[in-house]
Amino acid sequence: AVDLLGIQPDVGCFAKLLTAGIVPLSLTLATEEVFDAFKGDSKALALLHGHSYTAHPVGCAAANYALGHLRDSPAAKGHAAGDRASAASE
């Protein structure tokens, strides 16, 4: 969607995609600007959220395997090589 629309989202929420929905795990990615808005020494200023599956060990292991497989795939290597070639030509 980012490539299709040509925009960068401020926040992205992902679930099931890292573990194929077999074990619970989700993540939220945010720009540095959004992340910094919730940082602070006080719990009153921070965004605190948790749930019963936070850092679920089986979910983390499954996601780690999936990310390693994706990173090592021919498609990912071709995309990364394309990124480096584009950056070098700029």
Side-chain angles (χ1 to χ4, degrees), residues 81-90:
D83 289 346
R84 285 192 297 276
S86 295
S89 66
E90 293 178 356

Side-chain angles (χ1 to χ4, degrees), residues 16-20 23-27 56-71:
K16 296 185 182 178
L17 107 117
L18 291 174
T19 65
V23 290
L25 187 72
S26 63
L27 64 99
H56 188 280
V58 176
C60 290
N64 191 44
Y65 177 83
L67 288 171
H69 183 70
L70 178 63
R71 182 180 47 246

Side-chain angles (χ1 to χ4, degrees), residues 46-65:
L47 175 64
L48 301 176
H49 176 71
H51 50 81
S52 59
Y53 290 115
T54 298
H56 188 280
V58 176
C60 290
N64 191 44
Y65 177 83

Side-chain angles (χ1 to χ4, degrees), residues 6-34:
I7 60 171
Q8 291 292 326
D10 293 323
V11 177
C13 301
F14 303 93
K16 296 185 182 178
L17 107 117
L18 291 174
T19 65
I22 295 170
V23 290
L25 187 72
S26 63
L27 64 99
T28 302
L29 301 175
T31 62
E32 198 71 32
E33 182 180 1
V34 170

